[in-house]
Amino acid sequence: DAGVTQSPTHLIKTRGQQVTLRCSPKSGHDTVSWYQQALGQGPQFIFQYYEEEERQRGNFPDRFSGHQFPNYSSELNVNALLLGDSALYLCASSVRGLQTPLHFGNGTRLTVT
Amino acid sequence: AQTVTQSQPEMSVQEAETVTLSCTYDTSESDYYLFWYKQPPSRQMILVIRQEAYKQQNATENRFSVNFQKAAKSFSLKISDSQLGDAAMYFCAYKRTGNQFYFGTGTSLTVIP
């Protein structure tokens, strides 16, 4: 039973560029959430997707956008990268309607130079 | 806004001994869930234990147990018979109905052989 998988593992981008991160949820899960974890901090909620729509959003600017595909996989896009976007980006999946805990992937380490 | 506070940035424990990690949270909700997640150097967030606020009985999972004090909004994690593999960052998390999780800033646990 595959868990949550994220790609790539590491990424280095230049300020002003755009980046796309990818996530496949755990088998049987239909909801994907994205979190940003800055160095030394806890994860911060970016947004959540269910049925291919953004359902909830945290306090992040519109430069952060996403998408969910019919197979429940998801992408996180960040435009006009800033140095402060450097962080570990975690994808988590769950089952909508059930009070299940989040299952996390190993994250993508994004460095903006 | 919900906030989760972990006041111990670092803790250490001798192998086979017991350690308690503290967590407090702020909410006006009566129905919610609390979690402890472990994040080893591999970066993957792993669920340690969960507690439903409506349950008065403290959750237990093998060597891990919690002390849930709803009135005080306190949710501490006790690790008994500590093992070297317990060394990691530990995050306390809060979730109300819906799927947005709020995380604390984490406690780094060192296990001394």
Side-chain angles (χ1 to χ4, degrees), chain B residues 10-107:
Chain B
E10 298 178 349
M11 292 284 285
S12 62
V13 61
Q14 292 281 348
E15 194 175 3
E17 296 296 311
T18 296
V19 65
T20 298
L21 308 184
S22 301
C23 173
T24 58
Y25 56 95
D26 182 27
T27 184
S28 58
E29 304 287 333
S30 60
D31 188 18
Y32 52 87
Y33 300 81
L34 297 165
F35 303 83
W36 279 97
Y37 277 87
K38 166 185 176 182
Q39 188 177 41
S42 68
R43 309 184 321 201
Q44 185 178 21
M45 300 279 278
I46 301 166
L47 177 67
V48 175
I49 198 166
R50 63 177 285 181
Q51 173 81 43
E52 291 87 351
Y54 63 85
K55 290 186 177 180
Q56 294 186 343
Q57 185 174 5
N58 289 325
T60 299
E61 289 287 343
N62 300 314
R63 300 183 294 108
F64 299 87
S65 61
V66 299
N67 183 5
F68 173 47
Q69 301 289 329
K70 191 172 184 179
K73 297 179 183 176
S74 171
F75 183 60
S76 61
L77 174 69
K78 185 172 80 171
I79 306 174
S80 304
D81 185 25
S82 296
Q83 300 175 0
L84 296 178
D86 295 333
M89 283 292 290
Y90 285 80
F91 291 95
C92 177
Y94 162 98
K95 182 180 91 72
R96 56 184 174 138
T97 54
N99 276 321
Q100 182 173 350
F101 279 58
Y102 298 86
F103 288 85
T105 53
T107 296

